[in-house]
Amino acid sequence: MTYLLKSRSEPTQLLPASSEEQQRKINEVRELLGDLPTEMPNFLSDATIRRFLRARNWSTTKATKSLKETTSWRRHYKPEKIRWESIADSENEAKRAYIPDYLDKNGRMVFVTLPAIKTKTSEKDHLKYLVYNLETLLMYSEDAEEECIVWISDFQGWAISSTPFSLTRQSLHIIQQYYPGLIAVAILTNPPIIFESFWKIIKRFLEPRMNEKVKFIYSNNSESQKIMGDMFDLDKLEYIFGGRNTAEFDINMYAERMKRRDRVRGSWTQDNGEASSNNTKPNED
């Protein structure tokens, strides 16, 4: 599968020439949203609208459509109310997906998933946990000028039974539709040969821009090792990804960290899932 290491050209993005042009597009989207900005004034902030515009190649029509679908989903799903205590089998789920306490060398947050570990929860609960993580990542990323999440997954020992197709498809839909413009790069490490067939199906559900962000990494490949060394502090990066960090995952410490983030998120959001009017960067302390 060395062909998966081939570099992909970046997709063309019609970036507005000036901040004034960006603001004009943001204002146009506000008009197209009708009464929604009044219903969710803080969620539909300039930062949110800019993120959706960026993800939709600065098309006001596509960004508006996506925002309308997202606000409808948020109104019914209420993702802002999900807390650590409401996660089913949180200990096992956290071992499968977690937000580590380090950033990459560009200061971007990292989201780790280990799909080879089978989930013990229903698809509904699994998706709820995904949304919980995305809400946390969103809180720290909302004002970013560009995509700022590095998603890294280890597929060592993966089997088709590890990741049901329907679950993968629903997860991709949530990420691409309701949280666009967050993922900067998606790193898939050590996928087995059997993953190739699975990938050929899954990539059909990837938006072109998301597909361009995927990198396949192999621990026994020198080019892969260089990529990881360029992106991460190897003293902090877990050994399964080629780093030197061999510390065991401490569920108790992680649970406390997420509970602190829940408290921050609670003060940062309102009951309808909107961002707080306080635009300062969230602080866990």
Side-chain angles (χ1 to χ4, degrees):
M1 295 173 66
T2 54
Y3 76 95
L4 293 171
L5 282 167
K6 291 191 298 182
S7 60
R8 299 181 174 94
S9 58
E10 289 296 320
T12 301
Q13 186 175 23
L14 304 177
L15 181 66
S18 65
S19 58
E20 290 78 11
E21 176 65 11
Q22 290 186 27
Q23 190 61 50
R24 187 189 67 78
K25 284 182 172 288
I26 290 171
N27 294 339
E28 182 179 343
V29 170
R30 285 192 177 282
E31 293 182 7
L32 292 172
L33 287 171
D35 294 333
L36 279 178
T38 302
E39 177 186 348
M40 294 185 175
N42 294 315
F43 171 67
L44 292 172
S45 64
D46 280 4
T48 300
I49 296 174
R50 183 181 294 108
R51 177 164 58 84
F52 274 72
L53 277 166
R54 187 175 65 226
R56 303 308 176 215
N57 212 23
W58 293 93
S59 165
T60 55
T61 301
K62 292 180 180 179
T64 300
K65 180 177 183 293
S66 187
L67 278 165
K68 285 182 177 180
E69 293 174 356
T70 299
T71 51
S72 177
W73 173 78
R74 293 186 71 89
R75 189 184 299 120
H76 294 93
Y77 198 90
K78 301 187 183 304
E80 75 284 354
K81 293 188 175 181
I82 304 174
R83 296 292 182 267
W84 176 262
E85 289 83 357
S86 63
I87 300 301
D89 197 6
S90 57
E91 180 172 352
N92 187 69
E93 290 305 294
K95 292 177 181 178
R96 298 185 71 257
Y98 61 90
I99 302 170
D101 59 355
Y102 60 82
L103 307 176
D104 81 339
K105 288 183 177 180
N106 291 312
R108 299 176 295 194
M109 293 192 73
V110 180
F111 182 41
V112 172
T113 56
L114 305 174
I117 301 176
K118 291 185 179 181
T119 180
K120 297 179 181 179
T121 66
S122 66
E123 287 194 6
K124 179 180 178 181
D125 285 331
H126 177 86
L127 293 171
K128 180 180 179 181
Y129 183 56
L130 171 64
V131 170
Y132 171 71
N133 280 307
L134 291 171
E135 282 291 295
T136 300
L137 293 167
L138 176 63
M139 175 177 66
Y140 290 93
S141 311
E142 187 58 23
D143 292 327
E145 293 297 324
E146 57 186 15
E147 294 92 342
C148 57
I149 303 300
V150 177
W151 180 12
I152 179 169
S153 292
D154 180 53
F155 283 83
Q156 189 73 43
W158 180 89
I160 292 179
S161 60
S162 303
T163 312
F165 173 75
S166 60
L167 180 60
T168 301
R169 183 175 180 181
Q170 290 182 75
S171 298
L172 289 174
H173 175 75
I174 289 172
I175 292 168
Q176 295 181 132
Q177 179 58 49
Y178 305 136
Y179 297 89
L182 281 183
I183 306 299
V185 58
I187 301 173
L188 281 58
T189 66
N190 298 312
I193 294 177
I194 194 174
F195 184 80
E196 184 175 344
S197 298
F198 186 77
W199 175 248
K200 287 180 179 179
I201 299 174
I202 292 303
K203 68 184 303 182
R204 298 175 187 172
F205 300 98
L206 291 179
E207 296 176 351
R209 283 184 57 78
M210 179 64 79
N211 186 42
E212 293 292 337
K213 298 172 183 178
V214 176
K215 295 180 181 294
F216 286 81
I217 297 296
Y218 302 89
S219 58
N220 60 353
N221 181 280
S222 59
E223 182 181 347
S224 291
Q225 293 170 0
K226 184 179 185 303
I227 290 173
M228 298 304 279
D230 289 343
M231 290 185 64
F232 298 98
D233 180 342
L234 296 183
D235 288 331
K236 297 179 180 179
L237 183 68
E238 294 90 335
Y239 72 94
I240 59 174
F241 300 123
R244 292 186 284 268
N245 181 2
T246 59
E248 294 292 330
F249 183 80
D250 189 322
I251 184 60
N252 294 320
M253 289 181 61
Y254 187 74
E256 288 304 312
R257 188 191 313 153
M258 296 309 291
K259 289 175 183 177
R260 288 197 301 272
R261 286 173 169 169
D262 283 351
R263 290 192 291 271
V264 174
R265 189 154 57 89
S267 64
W268 183 76
T269 59
Q270 298 176 338
D271 288 343
N272 60 0
E274 301 172 5
S276 166
S277 58
N278 180 0
N279 291 323
T280 58
K281 184 177 179 63
N283 191 329
E284 292 181 41
D285 298 330

